[in-house]
Amino acid sequence: MASGDDTPIFEDDESPPYSLEKMADLVAVWDVALSDGVHKIEFEHGTTSGKRVVYVDGKEEIRKDWMFKLVGRETFYVGAAKTKATINIDAISGFAYEYTLEINGKSLKKYMENRSKTTNTWILHMDGENFRIVLEKDTMDVWCNGKKLETAGEFVDDGTETHFSLGNHDCYIKAVSSGKRKEGIIHTLIVDNREIPEIAS
């Protein structure tokens, strides 16, 4: 900057969220969909330095330096509900390692399969905003963009309705029996008297 201009390289005068040093030891990245949103979990494992660092949504949750034991596990919590997560570090041969993520004691794959049975998720765009709405079927809690909503349940002739508001929009999730034992209860999101299609799990 020969002109003597002292404007920062980054407009907000902050360093980038990821340093080159971090990128060198980054060994695993997972995206985990919970009721309060999709969380990115990143794991650094320095096999020469013994470093272990866990980031959740870009925020450092665990940092351990100079660990002499290169295998093991790191446990931490994710999201508003403080869901338990564990990264397992296993040696597979020589200096090669395998990294697996468990959520609430289940492999990520099993957790997500179970979650698709216990939740419904809808994405909608209105008033210039995106909304991610999640129904937890076991508790009937409704989440929107990371926050648990206040709801009111109501019995109706053919099932139940769980009412809530998004801004000045009236919304409810209607639960009716499918009439088929294997299908169970069908949940439908209605916003301003319009049915919103569910996203595929």
Side-chain angles (χ1 to χ4, degrees):
M1 295 191 240
S3 66
D5 183 5
D6 64 351
T7 55
I9 295 172
F10 302 99
E11 284 186 35
D12 58 359
D13 206 11
E14 290 183 14
S15 60
Y18 302 108
S19 67
L20 291 177
E21 178 189 328
K22 176 186 172 201
M23 297 310 260
D25 290 333
L26 188 65
V27 295
V29 178
W30 297 274
D31 288 321
V32 180
L34 301 176
S35 294
D36 67 337
V38 179
H39 299 278
K40 178 175 265 183
I41 298 172
E42 298 169 289
F43 182 58
E44 288 182 53
H45 189 216
T47 55
T48 54
S49 66
K51 175 177 71 171
R52 294 182 191 175
V53 185
V54 175
Y55 296 89
V56 177
D57 298 327
K59 181 178 172 273
E60 188 175 297
E61 293 293 321
I62 296 175
R63 174 176 288 274
K64 294 181 180 173
D65 292 308
W66 304 109
M67 300 275 299
F68 293 106
K69 189 174 180 190
L70 295 176
V71 296
R73 57 184 29 209
E74 295 299 335
T75 299
F76 52 99
Y77 297 90
V78 181
K82 301 289 184 210
T83 303
K84 183 179 175 182
T86 302
I87 296 173
N88 295 303
I89 308 152
D90 298 301
I92 49 176
S93 68
F95 292 102
Y97 297 89
E98 178 179 67
Y99 308 95
T100 55
L101 179 66
E102 292 178 358
I103 304 293
N104 280 341
K106 297 183 177 116
S107 72
L108 180 60
K109 183 176 191 249
K110 280 254 186 268
Y111 177 80
M112 297 313 290
E113 285 170 0
N114 185 53
R115 188 159 174 73
S116 71
K117 295 174 191 165
T118 60
T119 62
N120 289 78
T121 304
W122 297 270
I123 305 284
L124 67 139
H125 184 82
M126 62 184 183
D127 300 337
E129 279 187 75
N130 288 321
F131 294 92
R132 180 179 182 269
I133 299 166
V134 178
L135 168 68
E136 292 181 349
K137 294 181 204 176
D138 53 350
T139 60
M140 294 305 287
D141 287 339
V142 178
W143 293 74
C144 180
N145 294 353
K147 294 184 174 42
K148 191 157 79 167
L149 300 177
E150 289 291 323
T151 61
E154 178 183 340
F155 289 101
V156 293
D157 288 340
D158 54 350
T160 63
E161 293 179 355
T162 303
H163 292 262
F164 57 96
S165 295
L166 293 177
N168 54 8
H169 298 276
D170 293 324
C171 312
Y172 64 94
I173 297 172
K174 188 171 184 83
V176 295
S177 172
S178 66
K180 298 176 186 151
R181 189 174 169 164
K182 285 216 182 251
E183 286 181 38
I185 297 172
I186 297 171
H187 296 88
T188 308
L189 173 63
I190 310 292
V191 177
D192 294 334
N193 296 314
R194 197 178 93 236
E195 184 176 326
I196 307 300
E198 183 180 358
I199 64 167
S201 312

